[in-house]
Amino acid sequence: EIITSFKNCRRCAQPLGQPLHIGMFDFHVASMAGSISADLLELPVPQPPLLKMSEDAICLVGKQLRNPLQPSMFVSFASNCRAVREALHTELQELERLHNAARALCTQNNSTCSTIKDTDQLKWSSKKMGDIDCKVFAQIIASGAMAKLTFLDLSHNHISDMGLNLFSNELAMGALPQLKKLYLGSNQIADEGLKSFAEALGRGAITQLEVLDLCFNKLRDGFKSLSYTLAMGAVPQLTLLNLAKNRISDVSIATFADALGRGALSQLLRLDLDDNQISDIGLKSFVDALAMGVLLQLVELWLNRNQIGDAGLSSLSEALSMGALPRLQQLGLLCTNIRDNGLKAFAKSLGKGSLPKLTHLYLRSNQIASAGIQSFAEALAIGALASLQNLFLHTSGFIAEHPMNATQLKTACESRNILLALE
């Protein structure tokens, strides 16, 4: 009825030969009077004209044409006749308000409505966007105006839970079905916002997501909500998950480990858990999942600046001896509480052939002394870490305090052309 009304009402027709776009359909006004062809739909015999349509039907057409980035089609339709104009009066005012807000937001981000309306990449990082701006952006994507978006960067802004809630609500309605990379790092997102986001993922909002960056926020126990959603297989294609510089605790990591054990994130290549509140207890839960072979594709694992000690590293070493992380290339364990016993257990695991693909190992700023370094140097001397290229083990004053062990490690690295940073 909606489509054929355009056919039967001359006041709605465009000049002959001009395309007419209505929602997901593309129509073309033919040169023969009264005829119109459709790529996706066969039009039936003449239906009631536009003037006889109900107000609900007119509003439905208006909804299909409503685009805050390109309002001209809606305005043209609303201007056709008095009945349409009256039916869409409120909608027209709202669209005008939203279009002006969209223009202001685009100007703030050094963009224009015309440049972003068909883009598949939007890089609005470091633009001082707050929750009010996020509300406007949520209304824009709610109209379907940016359904082609695959890359979205909103990092380094001032978005808090309120802004993420509004954004997540529209995600849940399918506003960005093709999104593959989402960057929300360095904002002010806490647990409530993450819960809303997790709910949106749970509804199948962005099943094609490959990259999710939530670093430098205020996430704590809300991470459990995301873990529950991951366990449901909400983002099966995810390859990068960045959760660095949050407040994720052992309890949350245990829930995350359970999700991994259920097969979540089997395609993950990079996992960043730097600068959280993970201790040996939390790492043990995580390592138990690793021992099940759940992250066999992982290439990078970052655990820097956590509260990991000898017990945690020993647990990790046991899992590595069982074949966990066979493709890992970079491992970050700097600025933790690792001492000699932990490094000795690690070296023993490496001597058995663990981490054959590792190229970069970060162990600096720990509490490692002569016994740990000796064990590690001996492991390198017998061929451990066959692919290692860079070893970062520097600690202030180490060479002066342990000259013999430093020399032993240098010799082992030089014989294999490993770049060593010891001080």
Side-chain angles (χ1 to χ4, degrees), residues 338-354:
I338 297 172
R339 298 174 182 268
D340 284 351
N341 288 338
L343 190 60
K344 287 167 67 176
F346 187 53
K348 183 179 179 179
S349 173
L350 297 178
K352 297 178 181 179
S354 300

Side-chain angles (χ1 to χ4, degrees), residues 226-242:
L226 180 61
S227 297
Y228 294 142
T229 301
L230 296 177
M232 297 165 53
V235 283
Q237 300 180 44
L238 199 70
T239 59
L240 186 154
L241 179 60
N242 189 354

Side-chain angles (χ1 to χ4, degrees), residues 240-268:
L240 186 154
L241 179 60
N242 189 354
L243 295 162
K245 201 68 177 180
N246 279 287
R247 303 170 185 173
I248 297 172
S249 65
D250 290 339
V251 175
S252 296
I253 283 296
T255 307
F256 179 61
D258 182 67
L260 294 178
R262 296 173 184 269
L265 307 183
S266 61
Q267 302 303 310
L268 201 65

Side-chain angles (χ1 to χ4, degrees), residues 297-318:
Q297 306 300 321
L298 200 68
V299 174
E300 297 182 25
L301 175 59
W302 303 98
L303 296 166
N304 302 316
R305 301 182 186 87
N306 278 290
Q307 301 160 18
I308 299 169
D310 288 347
L313 185 55
S314 297
S315 298
L316 177 60
S317 301
E318 291 177 13

